[in-house]
């Protein structure tokens, strides 16, 4: 299994989205075409007096350039590469957002806990799906849909109160920002574990919850 450093910087994902050098449009199309993920365009960044601001025009935007641009975003999301290309052609700098609760859920943990969990999973030779690392210092582990329903009971079985851990499942009605979407001046979303042919089949939340809960408990 690759080390954490290799999963972040490694060249193994020849066919799946590159971290740099590829347009948002082509990356969004690849997510739909190669991973069969639903995608939808979010807000984008605009330069105002030399400062990157969110297209929503809220000066206090919490996720500038990285949130839905429309209230009906859930109905806008598409798994068609053709439709995705058409949407990003209208706004080529729009962020790439992926709805959860469809082809995958995501388990979100603090960055420090995420790296600890990744190291533990590496030693355990666990099967991992893709994992994102966001500029607001969160890591999101992609798992099979249904995690948001299962998670509280899984955490209780490990002896933790769900509210005591900074561990959140994103399911139906939520979304994640996909690389290379940028959060204002904070930086871009990256892959901690990139999508590859080897991790096309996602793990169940039950397979990852023990190391994730342990890491979050240590990180409190």
């Amino acid at each position: 299994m690759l080390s954490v450093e290799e999963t972040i910087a490694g060249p193994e994902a020849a066919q799946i989205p590159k971290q740099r050098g590829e347009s948002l449009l082509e990356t969004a199309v690849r997510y739909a075409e190669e991973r069969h993920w639903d995608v939808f365009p979010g807000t984008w960044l605009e330069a105002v007096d030399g400062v990157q601001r969110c297209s929503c025009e809220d000066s206090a935007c919490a996720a500038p350039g990285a949130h839905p641009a429309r209230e009906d975003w859930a109905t806008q999301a598409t798994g068609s590469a053709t439709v995705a290309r058409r949407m990003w052609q209208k706004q080529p700098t729009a962020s790439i957002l992926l709805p959860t609760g469809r082809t995958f859920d995501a388990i979100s943990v603090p960055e420090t806990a995420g790296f600890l969990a990744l190291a533990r999973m590496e030693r355990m030779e666990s099967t991992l799906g893709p994992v994102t690392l966001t500029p607001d210092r969160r890591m999101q582990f992609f798992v099979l849909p249904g995690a948001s329903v299962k998670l509280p009971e899984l955490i209780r079985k490990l002896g933790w109160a769900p509210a005591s851990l900074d561990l959140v499942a994103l399911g139906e009605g939520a979304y994640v920002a996909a690389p290379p979407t940028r959060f204002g001046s904070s930086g871009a979303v990256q892959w901690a574990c990139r999508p590859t042919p080897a991790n096309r089949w996602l793990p169940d939340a039950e397979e990852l919850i023990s190391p994730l809960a342990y890491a979050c408990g240590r990180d409190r």
Side-chain angles (χ1 to χ4, degrees):
M1 187 172 184
L2 294 172
S3 68
V4 171
E5 289 78 8
E6 287 174 308
T7 60
I8 292 176
E12 77 279 6
Q15 299 177 341
I16 316 294
K18 302 172 185 177
Q19 300 266 123
R20 298 181 179 84
E22 190 167 69
S23 71
L24 287 159
L25 183 156
E26 292 301 331
T27 303
V29 168
R30 283 181 180 234
Y31 288 143
E33 194 168 60
E34 297 181 9
R35 297 301 288 203
H36 304 294
W37 290 339
D38 282 4
V39 297
F40 67 97
T43 53
W44 57 91
L45 295 172
E46 299 175 333
V48 179
D49 297 327
V51 178
Q52 293 289 329
R53 298 193 184 280
C54 186
S55 61
C56 73
E57 300 183 352
D58 180 357
S59 60
C61 181
H67 64 86
R70 298 164 42 161
E71 291 186 5
D72 64 344
W73 62 264
T75 61
Q76 184 188 20
T78 180
S80 164
T82 301
V83 176
R85 182 178 297 278
R86 190 158 57 240
M87 289 195 294
W88 265 272
Q89 283 174 339
K90 293 178 181 177
Q91 182 47 254
T93 58
S95 53
I96 303 173
L97 304 180
L98 312 175
T100 50
R102 299 187 183 187
T103 51
F104 66 87
D105 279 5
I107 300 177
S108 177
V109 300
E111 175 187 300
T112 49
F115 278 117
L116 178 61
L118 278 177
R120 191 175 178 85
M121 291 173 191
E122 180 181 304
R123 292 194 298 272
M124 296 166 63
E125 298 186 350
S126 300
T127 300
L128 276 175
V131 183
T132 61
L133 174 62
T134 64
D136 59 352
R137 304 180 69 87
R138 303 289 298 183
M139 292 181 79
Q140 291 154 345
F141 291 72
F142 288 24
V143 294
L144 289 172
S148 58
V149 176
K150 297 178 182 179
L151 209 61
E153 184 58 28
L154 291 174
I155 293 172
R156 289 189 192 96
K157 285 182 178 179
L158 293 171
W160 297 94
S164 69
L165 300 179
D166 187 0
L167 190 158
V168 180
L170 303 173
E172 187 175 357
Y175 63 89
V176 297
T181 294
R182 296 191 65 82
F183 278 55
S185 60
S186 300
V189 183
Q190 302 179 59
W191 289 115
C193 292
R194 297 188 187 192
T196 68
N199 65 19
R200 182 175 295 277
W201 303 106
L202 299 176
D204 190 274
E206 193 165 357
E207 299 174 58
L208 304 187
I209 191 59
S210 179
L212 286 173
Y214 170 80
C216 288
R218 287 278 304 271
D219 194 50
R220 291 191 306 172

